[in-house]
C-alpha cells in the first residue's frame, strides 16, 4: 500500500495533509526519513509521524455508552448526534451500528466497517440485544408469557418472541432480550401491555457487552478479544 494511504487510513490527516508531512520530512519508515508519498509500505513496517508510532488499521470500532439527549445519526442540522462526541478528524468516516432512541442510553457500536454493520443489523441475522428497562407500572408473568409467545399489536405489527426477566426485588425493572430492531420496539411492546417505559439502557449486542466502567458519553476502542467476538459472530453468519 502507498505510504500516503497508510497514513490517511490511520487518520493522521487527509491524503494531501499527509503528503505535506512526508515532504516536510516528518515521516519515518523503519527509522528512515520517507520522502515519497507513493512509497510502498505494509503491516510489518514501522511507521512514525513526528516521532509518534502510527498503527495501520483498516477500520475503527468503538464502544460508546450513549447518553440520553443525543440522536443516533451521523449529522443533523438542529440536534446533537452521537458522532458529535468523536473528534472531527475521524468523525466523517464513522457511523452508528443500528439506532437507539434519543432518550435510550447504553451500548452503541460506532464504526466505519459497513460490512460488519450489515451483518449485525440485518433482520435475517437474529443478533440478540439485551436491554435493562424500567416501567411506570409493575410487570408480571402475563407480560413474560405474552412476550415469549410473540406479541401482535392492534395495527398488525408482529414482534418475534422476546425474553422478559423481571427483577423480583423490583417488578418495575426487567431485562429484555430481543433479536430484531423495529422502530421503538421495546416501548411499543410494553405499551401494548399497558405500561410505559421510563428508562431504557442497552446492555449488549450479540456477545459484546457494555463496559461497566464507561460513564454515559464515554467511549473506547474495542479490545482484540471483543473484535474477535464480533468477527466470530460474522463467520457464524456467513
Ligand atoms: N426499543 C426501543 O423502544 N427504543 C430503543 O432505543 C431501542 C429498542
Amino acid at each position: 500500500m502507498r505510504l500516503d494511504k497508510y497514513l490517511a487510513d490511520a487518520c493522521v490527516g487527509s491524503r494531501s495533509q499527509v503528503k505535506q508531512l512526508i515532504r516536510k520530512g516528518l515521516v519515518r519508515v523503519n527509522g528512515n526519513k520517507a520522502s515519497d508519498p507513493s512509497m510502498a509500505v505494509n503491516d510489518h513496517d514501522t511507521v512514525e509521524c513526528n516521532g509518534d508510532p502510527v498503527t495501520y488499521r483498516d477500520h475503527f470500532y468503538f464502544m460508546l455508552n450513549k447518553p440520553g439527549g443525543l440522536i443516533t445519526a451521523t449529522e443533523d442540522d438542529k440536534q446533537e448526534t452521537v458522532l458529535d462526541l468523536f473528534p472531527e478528524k475521524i468523525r466523517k468516516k464513522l457511523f452508528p451500528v443500528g439506532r437507539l432512541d434519543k432518550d435510550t442510553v447504553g451500548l452503541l457500536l460506532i464504526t466505519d466497517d459497513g460490512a460488519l454493520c450489515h451483518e449485525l443489523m440485518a433482520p435475517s441475522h437474529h443478533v440478540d440485544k439485551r436491554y435493562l428497562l424500567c416501567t411506570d407500572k409493575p410487570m408480571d408473568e402475563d407480560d413474560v408469557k405474552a412476550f415469549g409467545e410473540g406479541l401482535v399489536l392492534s395495527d398488525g405489527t408482529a414482534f418475534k418472541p422476546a425474553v422478559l426477566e423481571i427483577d423480583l426485588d423490583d417488578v418495575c425493572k426487567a431485562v429484555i432480550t430481543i433479536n430484531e430492531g423495529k422502530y421503538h420496539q421495546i416501548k411499543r411492546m410494553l405499551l401494548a401491555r399497558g405500561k410505559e417505559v421510563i428508562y431504557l439502557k442497552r446492555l449488549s449486542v450479540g456477545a459484546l457487552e457494555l463496559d461497566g466502567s464507561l460513564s454515559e458519553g464515554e467511549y473506547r476502542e474495542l479490545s482484540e478479544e471483543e473484535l474477535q467476538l464480533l468477527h466470530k459472530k460474522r463467520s457464524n453468519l456467513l
Side-chain angles (χ1 to χ4, degrees):
M1 165 189 327
R2 289 173 58 113
L3 177 60
D4 53 358
K5 177 167 167 38
Y6 182 107
L7 292 166
D9 283 353
C11 278
V12 171
S14 66
R15 206 66 173 253
S16 59
Q17 284 168 335
V18 302
K19 278 182 181 154
Q20 279 179 25
L21 293 172
I22 296 166
R23 295 212 174 92
K24 282 185 183 160
L26 294 172
V27 176
R28 287 182 179 269
V29 178
N30 302 325
N32 303 316
K33 208 178 268 184
S35 56
D36 179 4
S38 71
M39 147 181 205
V41 285
N42 62 41
D43 295 357
H44 306 299
D45 289 316
T46 309
V47 179
E48 289 164 289
C49 180
N50 230 348
D52 296 325
V54 180
T55 313
Y56 183 73
R57 51 172 97 237
D58 39 0
H59 288 299
F60 287 94
Y61 302 93
F62 294 102
M63 167 189 295
L64 166 68
N65 185 356
K66 179 192 174 296
L70 300 190
I71 60 165
T72 309
T74 49
E75 54 186 345
D76 192 89
D77 289 343
K78 296 193 187 79
Q79 304 190 67
E80 245 194 302
T81 78
V82 288
L83 288 190
D84 290 330
L85 297 167
F86 289 80
E88 198 157 357
K89 196 160 77 164
I90 55 169
R91 195 187 302 160
K92 279 186 227 96
K93 296 178 159 208
L94 299 174
F95 49 82
V97 178
R99 203 168 272 272
L100 292 178
D101 295 340
K102 188 171 173 179
D103 57 352
T104 301
V105 300
L107 177 61
L108 189 61
L109 189 61
I110 307 280
T111 184
D112 60 346
D113 183 348
L116 179 73
C117 180
H118 170 72
E119 282 150 19
L120 291 174
M121 299 321 296
S124 57
H125 290 162
H126 310 300
V127 176
D128 281 347
K129 292 143 206 129
R130 282 171 61 245
Y131 293 82
L132 174 68
L133 65 92
C134 297
T135 46
D136 63 340
K137 293 190 201 80
M139 290 169 279
D140 57 30
E141 280 308 308
D142 289 343
D143 299 323
V144 174
K145 191 161 173 283
F147 287 177
E149 285 168 354
L151 209 65
V152 182
L153 303 187
S154 52
D155 66 3
T157 306
F159 296 116
K160 295 211 175 72
V163 179
L164 183 72
E165 298 161 272
I166 302 171
D167 184 337
L168 297 179
D169 294 326
D170 178 356
V171 288
C172 288
K173 205 164 152 190
V175 171
I176 188 167
T177 306
I178 58 173
N179 62 22
E180 50 184 351
K182 294 200 167 100
Y183 180 67
H184 292 333
Q185 175 157 346
I186 294 171
K187 291 174 185 161
R188 286 157 75 207
M189 288 170 75
L190 267 303
L191 212 51
R193 301 287 311 162
K195 283 125 207 172
E196 193 185 329
V197 173
I198 54 172
Y199 177 79
L200 190 58
K201 174 179 187 172
R202 185 150 70 185
L203 304 173
S204 63
V205 173
L208 184 67
E209 304 257 353
L210 178 65
D211 179 341
S213 72
L214 289 177
S215 306
E216 286 179 20
E218 286 185 341
Y219 61 84
R220 65 157 171 81
E221 288 202 67
L222 295 191
S223 66
E224 274 306 315
E225 291 76 32
E226 288 166 334
L227 265 179
Q228 271 166 24
L229 285 177
L230 289 181
H231 285 110
K232 208 180 282 170
K233 182 75 201 168
R234 168 184 275 188
S235 55
N236 287 344
L237 294 167
L238 292 174

